[in-house]
Amino acid sequence: MEEKMFCFQCEQTAGCSGCKGNRGVCGKQDTTAKLQDELTGALIGLAHAVREDKAEPETDRLMMEGLFATLTNVNFDDESLKKQIASVHQEKEKYVPGCNSCQEPCGRTSDYPMEMLWKDQEDIRSLKSLLLFGLRGTAAYAYHAMVLGYTDEQVNAFFYKGMAAIGEDRDMDNLLPLVMEAGAVNFRCMELLDRANTETYGIPAPAKVEMKVEKGPFIVISGHDLRDLKLLLEQTEGKGVNIYTHGEMLPAHAYPELRKYAHLKGNFGTAWQNQQKEFAGLPAPVLFTTNCIMPPKDSYRDRVFTTGVVSYPGMVHIGEDRDFTPVIEKAAALGGFTEEKTFTGINGGSTLTTGFGHDTILSAAGQVVEAVKAGQISHFFLVGGCDGARTGRNYYTEFVQKAPKDSIILTLACGKYRFNDLDLGEIGGLPRLMDMGQCNDAFGAIKVAVALAEAFHCSVNELPLTLVLSWYEQKAVSILLTLLHLGIKNIYLGPTLPAFVSENVLNYLVENFQISPVSTPEEDLKKILG
C-alpha cells in the first residue's frame, strides 16, 4: 500500500525518521505534502528543460518561489500549490514546446516522481536531500534579494544545475562536490542579500527593543521579509496603528530606514513555536511574510493574514500589489489593548538588543583584538540557528548561562530567543551578548571570523571560536553547507542530527569536518575549552 506522505526535511519530523500517514508534525496534511512533492518534481522537470539556456527572469522567479513554498511552515494551501504547479508547467513550454502533449515522451523533461528519491539507496537519498534542502534555503534568501531588485546569475543558474542533478542517476562521488558547491552558492547568495538589505535600508546599528505594547490599534508582523515591513510602515503612517515585530523580524529595528518610522514600536512575543499560545488573546491582526506559520488556532484564525509565498487555507492572502488595507482595517476594528501591556522573554527580561551586524562589530575590531591580547576575552561562541519545540533546546540557554564570564556570545536567527532577554553584562565596554540578526546574517558572522583570523595571523579554525548551532528547517541546512564549503570545523549541532543524513554521510562529515552532536552544556564546554 502506497504511503500517504513522506517528509523528513525538518528537525521535528516524527520519530526522528520521517512523517508518514495523514499529517506531519508541523500540521501539514498528506495532500499538501504530496502536492509539495509534485511541485518539486515539476521544478526538476523545468530545470532539465532549461538546460544550458539562460533562464528568463520569470523562470527564475518561479523556481525561487516554488522552492521557497516547500520549506517547512510556509505553504499549507493545496489550491495555491496547484496553481504553482500549473505555472511551472506553463513556463516549461517556453523551453520545450509541446513537451506536455508529446505522443512519444522521452521523459527527459518530465516531472520527476519524488517517491524515487525517497526510496533511493540510503546514501544517495541522503546527499540528494542535503542538496535539495540546501537549495530550498538558498531560494528563500535569493527571493528576499530579488524583491529588492538584486539578483545574481551564478546563484540563479545553480538552482537549475542542482535541481537537474536530483532527477538524474548520480553516485556519491558525483554528488558530494555538488553539495559543497551548494554551500559556496549559498554564501554568494547571503552576500547578495546582505548588500540588498544594507543598500536599501542602511547599515544596521545596535538598538534596544522593548517588549511592551502600547494601548490602541496595532499589527504584529512576522517572518523575514523587510520589504513587506517597509510597505506596511508606509501604509500605516499617520493612521494611528502601531507596528510590532515578531520572531525573525526583530532585527528590522536595527536598520535606519525602518527605525525612522515612529510607529515601529517594539517586539511582541518570542520564537515562532510559541505563536499558538501567544497569539490566542491578541486583540490585533498578525501578518506572516515568510516562514514560520503554524496552523492557527480557532481563537485567532480570523486575525491571521498572509502574503508573498506564505499561504494557509481560509486565511486572507495579500497579493502581489501588497495592499495591506484589510490588515489595517482589522487592526482598527479590534482596537488593540485598552492599556499598555509589558511582556517578557522566556527568562523574564523585557528588553531585547539587536543590530550587531558585521559592520558594527568590525568597527570595534581593534578593541576586540586588544581585549583578547589582554586576556579579557578568552573565547568566542556563535550560539544561534533555528528554534523549535522539541525537548532539549533548553541546552542552548544553559550553554550561554554556563559559558565563561570572559567569553563573548554572538547569536543570530530565532534560536536567540532562548536567551536574548538575559543580561550577560559587558567585557571591556563590549556587550557579552551580540545579536547579529536574521539567519541569513550568518554571512556577517563569517566576515567577522575571517577578519579576526587575519588580525591574529591564523586560520578561522585556529581561532578561540566555537560554533554551537541549532537547526530546524532548510535555511539552516544551506548555512551548514556554506560553513562546510568554507572548511570551518568543530561545529556542534543539535538538538538532534538530521534524519536525512545517512550513517555513511555523517561519518564523512565527522571525519572531514569534526561535526559533533551536542551532549550537555557542561560536557561540551569542557571539551571545547580543554
Side-chain angles (χ1 to χ4, degrees):
M1 181 177 177
E2 183 182 359
E3 292 177 351
K4 291 190 174 181
M5 70 174 287
F6 175 75
C7 183
F8 65 168
Q9 69 177 12
C10 82
E11 187 267 338
Q12 69 181 8
T13 195
C16 294
S17 61
C19 291
K20 303 176 183 179
N22 296 320
R23 182 183 173 97
V25 174
C26 69
K28 179 170 59 179
Q29 299 295 326
D30 64 295
T31 55
T32 308
K34 285 286 188 180
L35 285 168
Q36 289 183 346
D37 275 358
E38 286 183 32
L39 176 56
T40 304
L43 292 171
I44 290 172
L46 176 61
H48 280 126
V50 172
R51 290 289 179 178
E52 302 301 322
D53 292 343
K54 185 179 184 301
E56 297 179 4
E58 175 64 11
T59 315
D60 291 338
R61 183 184 67 81
L62 285 171
M63 178 64 74
M64 289 178 209
E65 289 182 346
L67 286 168
F68 198 170
T70 56
L71 258 74
T72 305
N73 289 26
V74 172
N75 193 327
F76 292 79
D77 185 10
D78 289 4
E79 293 307 310
S80 169
L81 292 167
K82 289 176 184 176
K83 289 179 182 178
Q84 282 189 285
I85 293 168
S87 295
V88 171
H89 287 159
Q90 184 177 358
E91 191 70 12
K92 186 172 69 174
E93 284 286 309
K94 294 181 181 178
Y95 298 89
V96 281
C99 180
N100 291 332
S101 58
C102 180
Q103 298 300 309
E104 298 181 6
C106 63
R108 286 194 294 271
T109 61
S110 300
D111 292 2
Y112 179 73
M114 292 299 288
E115 60 267 20
M116 288 182 63
L117 173 56
W118 308 141
K119 295 176 181 179
D120 209 337
Q121 191 274 333
E122 184 181 27
D123 296 328
I124 300 301
R125 181 180 75 166
S126 181
L127 288 173
K128 285 189 175 182
S129 295
L130 266 173
L131 178 58
L132 173 61
F133 302 156
L135 286 168
R136 287 176 175 172
T138 302
Y141 298 143
Y143 173 88
H144 291 312
M146 178 189 67
V147 298
L148 293 177
Y150 290 73
T151 60
D152 185 289
E153 288 187 7
Q154 287 184 235
V155 172
N156 294 347
F158 188 74
F159 289 131
Y160 303 97
K161 179 180 178 179
M163 291 298 284
I166 292 166
E168 296 170 354
D169 186 17
R170 303 285 186 110
D171 59 24
M172 287 189 67
D173 289 340
N174 185 273
L175 286 168
L176 271 170
L178 269 177
V179 170
M180 292 297 113
E181 187 177 356
V185 169
N186 185 65
F187 182 71
R188 187 180 181 95
C189 188
M190 287 194 297
E191 185 176 23
L192 175 73
L193 181 54
D194 178 82
R195 182 160 55 87
N197 284 337
T198 54
E199 290 182 359
T200 305
Y201 305 115
I203 303 297
K208 285 190 175 182
V209 184
E210 300 287 339
M211 295 187 73
K212 67 182 179 182
V213 177
E214 298 180 7
K215 68 178 183 178
F218 67 97
I219 297 168
V220 173
I221 182 168
S222 188
H224 304 71
D225 201 296
L226 300 180
R227 175 175 173 267
D228 285 331
L229 173 58
K230 178 67 158 57
L231 294 173
L232 181 64
L233 288 167
E234 291 174 349
Q235 292 177 38
T236 51
E237 191 169 23
K239 295 184 177 179
V241 176
N242 290 329
I243 307 300
Y244 293 86
T245 55
H246 172 264
E248 281 274 66
M249 275 293 187
L250 170 64
H253 293 272
Y255 289 92
E257 288 301 308
L258 300 175
R259 191 166 53 191
K260 71 180 184 182
Y261 289 90
H263 62 300
L264 177 61
K265 292 292 185 178
N267 190 76
F268 174 81
T270 53
W272 67 270
Q273 75 275 4
N274 300 321
Q275 65 188 258
Q276 291 178 327
K277 177 181 178 181
E278 293 175 345
F279 293 165
L282 199 65
V286 181
L287 174 64
F288 281 93
T289 65
T290 61
N291 54 312
C292 298
I293 187 173
M294 297 174 72
K297 298 289 188 182
D298 290 340
S299 59
Y300 67 90
R301 64 184 299 117
D302 65 325
R303 295 181 266 118
V304 174
F305 296 80
T306 62
T307 192
V309 296
V310 189
S311 192
Y312 196 92
M315 303 294 100
V316 175
H317 185 78
I318 307 300
E320 292 184 12
D321 62 357
R322 293 303 198 271
D323 181 356
F324 294 119
T325 300
V327 191
I328 299 168
E329 290 177 344
K330 176 64 79 170
L334 290 169
F337 292 114
T338 56
E339 59 183 19
E340 183 177 284
K341 298 275 188 179
T342 298
F343 298 90
T344 63
I346 65 171
N347 302 293
S350 59
T351 302
L352 309 174
T353 304
T354 189
F356 288 92
H358 57 85
D359 290 283
T360 296
I361 296 178
L362 292 179
S363 68
Q367 187 178 354
V368 172
V369 170
E370 289 306 313
V372 173
K373 290 180 178 178
Q376 293 176 298
I377 298 176
S378 65
H379 207 87
F380 297 89
F381 295 99
L382 174 61
V383 185
C386 306
D387 205 355
R390 190 186 293 277
T391 301
R393 286 184 178 266
N394 58 330
Y395 166 94
Y396 297 94
T397 309
E398 294 176 11
F399 187 97
V400 167
Q401 290 174 320
K402 293 176 180 179
K405 302 302 181 185
D406 59 354
S407 64
I408 293 286
I409 310 293
L410 304 175
T411 189
L412 44 77
C414 62
K416 61 176 169 274
Y417 278 99
R418 292 280 165 173
F419 49 80
N420 66 341
D421 63 325
L422 291 171
D423 182 1
L424 299 182
E426 296 184 346
I427 300 177
L430 297 168
R432 282 194 60 220
L433 177 61
M434 301 185 194
D435 174 16
M436 300 193 70
Q438 296 181 341
C439 52
N440 50 279
D441 291 310
F443 166 76
I446 293 167
K447 283 197 71 171
V448 169
V450 170
L452 286 174
E454 290 175 353
F456 288 106
H457 307 289
C458 65
S459 71
V460 170
N461 290 319
E462 292 172 320
L463 285 172
L465 167 69
T466 304
L467 279 62
V468 184
L469 306 179
S470 55
W471 82 282
Y472 176 80
E473 46 84 26
Q474 296 73 62
K475 285 186 277 189
V477 175
S478 62
I479 291 171
L480 177 62
L481 295 182
T482 291
L483 296 174
L484 299 181
H485 154 71
L486 294 171
I488 295 175
K489 299 182 179 182
N490 300 308
I491 299 169
Y492 286 74
L493 184 65
T496 60
L497 292 174
F500 51 82
V501 174
S502 67
E503 184 176 353
N504 286 335
V505 172
L506 177 60
N507 289 338
Y508 173 86
L509 296 177
V510 170
E511 180 180 343
N512 289 275
F513 299 98
Q514 289 79 60
I515 287 183
S516 300
V518 299
S519 54
T520 67
E522 295 86 355
E523 291 175 2
D524 290 342
L525 281 166
K526 183 178 180 181
K527 183 179 176 181
I528 292 166
L529 301 173

